[in-house]
Amino acid sequence: MPFDGVFTNSIVKELSEFVEGKIDKVYQPSKDEIILIVKKDRKNIKLLLSANPSFPRVHITYSSMENPKAPPNFCMALRKHILGGIIKSVSQVNFDRIIQFEIEGLTELGDAMQYKLICEIMGKHSNILLLNNENTIVDCIKHIGHNMNRYREIMPGADYVMPPVKGKINTLSVQKENIKSMLNKNVDITIESFFTSNFLGISKAFAKQICYPYESKKISELNNQQTEDIVSNFFHYLAKIKNGDYQYIIYYNHSLMADYYVFPLQEYNMLKPEYYSSPSKLLDTFYYHKDVKNTLKQKYKDLFKIVSNYQDRNNKKQQIYIDKINEYKNYEQWKIYADVLMANQYSIKHSSDNVKLENFYDGSIINIPLDSDLTIIENAQSYYKRYAKEKSSLEVISNQLEEAKHDEDYIKSILFNLKNASDVDTIEDIRNELIDSGIIKKKKIKNKKQKSEPYHFISEDGFDIYVGKNNYQNDYLTLKFAISSDIWMHTKNIPGSHVIIKSKKGQISDEALKEGAMLAAYFSQAQSSSNIPVDYTIKKNVKKPNGAKPGMVIYYTNKTIYVTPDEKAIKNMTLSK
């Protein structure tokens, strides 16, 4: 996901429209995100500054975020120094992934003070810093001491030091004569590496586009015409960047968003592009669901850890059971040994630790080990006991293995529901389910009402379609909510949600069936696959075995429909409030 210097440049150009805007409110919804409400010309915009290590970015957002009851320290520092301040400029530093806001704020005495709010968008090293007019760090969202970074200390009171550029130059300042000279000094590297290692703000994706179709060739392997074409292409894009001639594109792989950029990319010519009117709308669309899921995952990481540990223990148990089954699978030989010994007890001279006798079951000669301290009858009885013990153990262990496999299917459904949860209430339902299942050791809260509700879609021709968000909801929809003539749907042998299509006078339209199957495939572990098998049958053919885990059912006389999930089509479906 190339949030590189080029994309940063497009964001800065968009945000420059809000110069002279007033910072009206400051929030910190999470440990590494800041929201600034900027007011200009009687309009409010919500500006997101994120130092999230997975999704760092800066853009206007249209999404709502829950704020903590008590603002964190960095939020308090921003409110103290720049709340009510005026944004005097927005700029990009050295064409790198650094955005600088110059803000005119107030000191504690009410005097004007110039501040800089710096956003460094650099993966796990991302940070947001507030500097005073002497370039001293007032505070930052992540404190980095010398023990963590020898090059620069990022702490309140320290002088601000720019991130290292590693010998790279500002892309916007390069001249044609300079680039040809630089090419002659780097003949042993690929042309793609030349651009990424010498120029600030150029990602691999953009470098490939500049060099296409020669990106993997070494500079020494290029002829003069190829080199000239690449240099011309570079300055062609440079002119577009300087003029702000961008296209804001999300690339879709089937129904899933794969990547984004501000120029069409040859490497994605097999993917489906979708165009947006601004870089902020693109980023808000691309990161919304990823951000929600990531925030929930961080907030409820204890649940993920508990379920993952339970899954690991279950896998180890299954392996132990399989090893024991392999050890006991030949248990019948002990009965054969005992029977043969008993049949020959009077003819055997017990003077060694084994005896060779004919197996009267198949006529073969078998070698039977003996315990010299026991009589022949006692040896036979020992084999009978071993036979009975291993036979009994094999039955018990086989049942335990079957139960562990059912647990494996169940825990996969729990993990699927956790990873796809989009709100706090759904995760709390899953927590309660884990308590009921005994996976979490905690006293059950009596009469605790289920908070979240299943998804409710309406098909194009007016049929109600319901989708469970967790196993409790799956059980409710299938066993209590649906009537016998409703259609029940689920992906075949794949963890996912139960889907119920409400019938009208016992009838379901083909369009509703198709949309229901699309929803069942989308809300399943196979969401990113194609031609997903979805089983469906009338509800009366679906039963829940006694003692089965939540969400686990059996069904019969079903049919199967194959669909490929389309995220855009899902979003266009009517979701009832």
Side-chain angles (χ1 to χ4, degrees):
M1 298 168 191
F3 199 118
D4 57 5
V6 182
F7 203 99
T8 304
N9 185 267
S10 72
I11 286 287
V12 167
K13 282 181 165 59
E14 180 186 27
L15 298 184
S16 295
E17 297 178 18
F18 301 99
V19 169
E20 297 300 328
K22 177 184 176 182
I23 299 175
D24 198 43
K25 294 178 183 177
V26 179
Y27 301 110
Q28 187 173 346
S30 67
K31 66 177 183 178
D32 44 26
E33 291 181 332
I34 292 294
I35 293 287
L36 301 180
I37 306 297
V38 180
K39 193 171 186 178
K40 184 182 180 184
D41 299 332
R42 297 183 180 181
K43 292 181 181 179
N44 289 338
I45 66 155
K46 191 188 298 182
L47 184 60
L48 171 66
L49 316 177
S50 176
N52 184 298
S54 301
F55 314 127
R57 61 200 189 277
V58 174
H59 62 90
I60 299 165
T61 183
Y62 307 92
S63 306
S64 298
M65 297 183 183
E66 185 179 348
N67 294 305
K69 293 180 180 178
N73 291 337
F74 184 58
C75 180
M76 294 295 288
L78 293 179
R79 288 178 179 179
K80 177 180 178 180
H81 295 284
I82 64 171
L83 186 62
I86 304 299
I87 298 175
K88 305 305 290 184
S89 71
V90 184
S91 59
Q92 180 182 17
V93 180
N94 290 333
F95 200 68
D96 207 347
R97 295 164 295 166
I98 303 173
I99 297 177
Q100 176 177 286
F101 297 85
E102 291 191 357
I103 301 167
E104 187 177 276
L106 298 173
T107 65
E108 294 178 359
L109 299 176
D111 299 326
M113 169 73 82
Q114 300 299 318
Y115 292 97
K116 292 178 183 176
L117 188 60
I118 307 287
C119 301
E120 299 176 351
I121 308 163
M122 298 182 173
K124 65 180 181 180
H125 302 295
S126 299
N127 213 333
I128 304 170
L129 309 94
L130 180 66
L131 314 181
N132 63 17
N133 58 350
E134 296 178 348
N135 251 28
T136 300
I137 299 173
V138 176
D139 204 352
C140 46
I141 205 162
K142 296 178 185 176
H143 292 186
I144 311 293
H146 276 308
N147 59 328
M148 297 176 68
N149 189 328
R150 294 182 182 179
Y151 178 78
R152 60 179 189 150
E153 183 181 35
I154 308 174
M155 298 286 284
D159 291 334
Y160 176 66
V161 178
M162 293 281 294
V165 297
K166 299 178 182 178
K168 296 182 181 182
I169 63 174
N170 187 330
T171 304
L172 296 180
S173 65
V174 68
Q175 301 295 320
K176 201 165 188 177
E177 300 75 26
N178 296 343
I179 198 169
K180 289 185 176 179
S181 172
M182 292 169 68
L183 283 166
N184 292 331
K185 295 176 182 177
N186 292 272
V187 293
D188 293 328
I189 62 173
T190 64
I191 187 65
E192 177 194 329
S193 298
F194 167 77
F195 283 102
T196 57
S197 59
N198 285 283
F199 299 99
L200 287 166
I202 293 186
S203 61
K204 287 185 177 181
F206 185 45
K208 284 181 180 179
Q209 183 63 23
I210 293 169
C211 306
Y212 182 83
Y214 312 113
E215 64 270 16
S216 59
K217 283 192 173 186
K218 288 185 177 181
I219 295 172
S220 58
E221 297 171 346
L222 298 170
N223 60 39
N224 290 338
Q225 185 58 53
Q226 290 169 343
T227 303
E228 188 63 36
D229 289 345
I230 291 169
V231 172
S232 296
N233 205 27
F234 173 67
F235 283 98
H236 165 74
Y237 279 109
L238 214 56
K240 282 180 170 288
I241 291 167
K242 290 177 179 178
N243 293 327
D245 185 8
Y246 294 121
Q247 298 178 62
Y248 311 109
I249 310 166
I250 291 179
Y251 292 95
Y252 282 82
N253 184 4
H254 297 298
S255 64
L256 296 181
M257 291 182 282
D259 212 339
Y260 62 84
Y261 206 50
V262 290
F263 295 127
L265 298 176
Q266 285 289 340
E267 67 172 314
Y268 293 146
N269 61 1
M270 299 300 290
L271 302 183
K272 185 179 179 182
E274 184 171 301
Y275 295 86
Y276 291 80
S277 59
S278 72
S280 286
K281 287 183 178 177
L282 180 155
L283 291 175
D284 216 34
T285 301
F286 189 88
Y287 284 113
Y288 174 71
H289 291 292
K290 294 177 185 291
D291 216 25
V292 168
K293 289 178 183 178
N294 184 67
T295 302
L296 288 172
K297 188 173 182 179
Q298 290 297 320
K299 190 172 182 179
Y300 291 95
K301 59 184 177 183
D302 62 317
L303 281 187
F304 283 91
K305 187 175 181 180
I306 288 168
V307 176
S308 296
N309 288 344
Y310 185 87
Q311 186 180 44
D312 290 341
R313 290 197 302 272
N314 183 271
N315 291 338
K316 289 176 182 177
K317 278 199 301 184
Q318 286 192 56
Q319 190 55 53
I320 291 170
Y321 295 151
I322 290 169
D323 292 343
K324 282 294 182 183
I325 287 171
N326 289 332
E327 182 183 340
Y328 294 160
K329 65 182 179 181
N330 296 320
Y331 68 94
E332 288 188 352
Q333 72 175 346
W334 312 127
K335 185 176 183 298
I336 294 171
Y337 285 180
D339 289 346
V340 172
L341 285 175
M342 290 300 290
N344 294 277
Q345 59 180 300
Y346 298 112
S347 61
I348 299 172
K349 293 182 180 180
H350 186 21
S351 58
S352 64
D353 57 2
N354 65 80
V355 62
K356 290 185 178 180
L357 297 170
E358 181 183 357
N359 179 0
F360 48 74
Y361 288 108
D362 61 10
S364 63
I365 302 299
I366 55 175
N367 186 44
I368 303 175
L370 298 174
D371 186 337
S372 57
D373 293 332
L374 302 178
T375 66
I376 295 300
I377 293 177
E378 288 173 336
N379 270 284
Q381 289 173 340
S382 176
Y383 279 125
Y384 279 132
K385 287 180 181 178
R386 186 171 181 181
Y387 160 76
K389 180 182 177 181
E390 291 191 7
K391 180 183 179 183
S392 175
S393 297
L394 190 63
E395 290 176 359
V396 172
I397 293 170
S398 296
N399 290 334
Q400 289 174 330
L401 178 60
E402 193 64 29
E403 186 178 338
K405 287 180 178 178
H406 286 312
D407 277 353
E408 181 183 7
D409 292 338
Y410 174 64
I411 213 66
K412 282 180 179 177
S413 73
I414 290 286
L415 280 172
F416 166 77
N417 291 332
L418 274 173
K419 289 174 182 176
N420 287 275
S422 57
D423 58 79
V424 171
D425 289 343
T426 298
I427 291 190
E428 286 299 331
D429 282 347
I430 295 171
R431 185 193 293 277
N432 292 330
E433 179 185 341
L434 292 172
I435 293 170
D436 289 341
S437 300
I439 295 174
I440 293 180
K441 305 298 181 185
K442 188 176 179 180
K443 289 183 180 178
K444 186 177 176 182
I445 301 172
K446 293 183 179 179
N447 299 323
K448 185 170 181 66
K449 292 184 179 179
Q450 186 172 308
K451 294 179 181 178
S452 64
E453 297 291 334
Y455 291 117
H456 177 197
F457 294 88
I458 300 174
S459 71
E460 191 174 331
D461 51 359
F463 283 83
D464 292 306
I465 306 175
Y466 295 86
V467 181
K469 295 179 183 176
N470 53 57
N471 287 324
Y472 274 169
Q473 291 185 8
N474 288 337
D475 272 358
Y476 166 73
L477 286 176
T478 302
L479 306 174
K480 295 182 179 180
F481 179 74
I483 62 174
S484 60
S485 60
D486 293 342
I487 291 292
W488 176 89
M489 311 187 90
H490 193 280
T491 44
K492 190 180 191 71
N493 300 324
I494 300 168
S497 297
H498 292 204
V499 174
I500 295 294
I501 307 176
K502 297 296 289 181
S503 63
K504 293 182 178 181
K505 297 181 180 179
Q507 300 297 315
I508 301 286
S509 71
D510 290 342
E511 180 61 31
L513 200 63
K514 179 183 174 183
E515 291 184 26
M518 180 81 73
L519 289 166
Y522 182 77
F523 290 100
S524 79
Q525 205 171 63
Q527 184 184 92
S528 58
S529 303
S530 57
N531 290 324
I532 301 166
V534 176
D535 287 344
Y536 67 95
T537 185
I538 55 176
K539 185 266 174 183
K540 72 176 184 179
N541 294 335
V542 184
K543 309 294 180 186
K544 188 175 186 68
N546 290 334
K549 300 279 189 183
M552 301 291 108
V553 295
I554 56 175
Y555 55 95
Y556 53 92
T557 62
N558 63 283
K559 296 180 181 179
T560 304
I561 184 172
Y562 290 83
V563 294
T564 298
D566 185 337
E567 188 170 14
K568 287 179 65 179
I570 298 292
K571 287 181 178 179
N572 289 334
M573 286 186 187
T574 303
L575 183 60
S576 179
K577 301 278 184 168

